[in-house]
Amino acid sequence: MNTLLTADMLVIILGCALATYATRISGYLLIRRMKNIPPRMDAALNAVPAAVLTTLVAPAFVAGGLEVKVALAVSLLAGLWLSTIPMLLAGWAVAVAIRHLVL
């Protein structure tokens, strides 16, 4: 008997996959039917990446330790002048340095 994948878990995984696919394809189908994207919708769609990034970073900032907060602050400042990869490397290097040298 395989305890890693039960029938209940398989149903949950398939349900989540269907829900994810439905939400993604519905947005595509909705926008495909529009001839012009209204300015408000265009502004909302342009705000999505910042909103997604905030949902990823904010919990880490709140729940993380000092090294996470400092690394995120350094990444934020580095992001003002550098591209994505150097920004990520700067934050990662600060977190690693603090964890090994201070904590």
Side-chain angles (χ1 to χ4, degrees):
M1 182 169 148
N2 188 358
T3 58
L4 293 176
L5 186 61
T6 62
D8 292 340
M9 291 176 65
L10 186 61
V11 169
I12 290 171
I13 291 170
L14 290 175
C16 289
L18 285 173
T20 300
Y21 182 75
T23 55
R24 291 183 180 203
I25 195 69
S26 63
Y28 169 74
L29 292 175
L30 178 67
I31 288 180
R32 199 176 102 185
R33 296 179 133 228
M34 296 177 153
K35 301 214 185 295
N36 295 325
I37 297 176
R40 286 184 155 204
M41 180 180 275
D42 188 43
L45 290 174
N46 286 332
V48 168
V52 170
L53 185 61
T54 302
T55 62
L56 294 174
V57 171
F61 185 82
V62 171
L66 175 66
E67 77 279 7
V68 173
K69 290 175 176 55
V70 172
L72 288 173
V74 168
S75 295
L76 175 68
L77 292 175
L80 295 175
W81 295 284
L82 303 174
S83 62
T84 305
I85 297 298
M87 176 192 70
L88 292 173
L89 290 175
W92 172 78
V94 168
V96 168
I98 291 174
R99 285 180 181 166
H100 287 283
L101 299 174
V102 177
L103 299 178

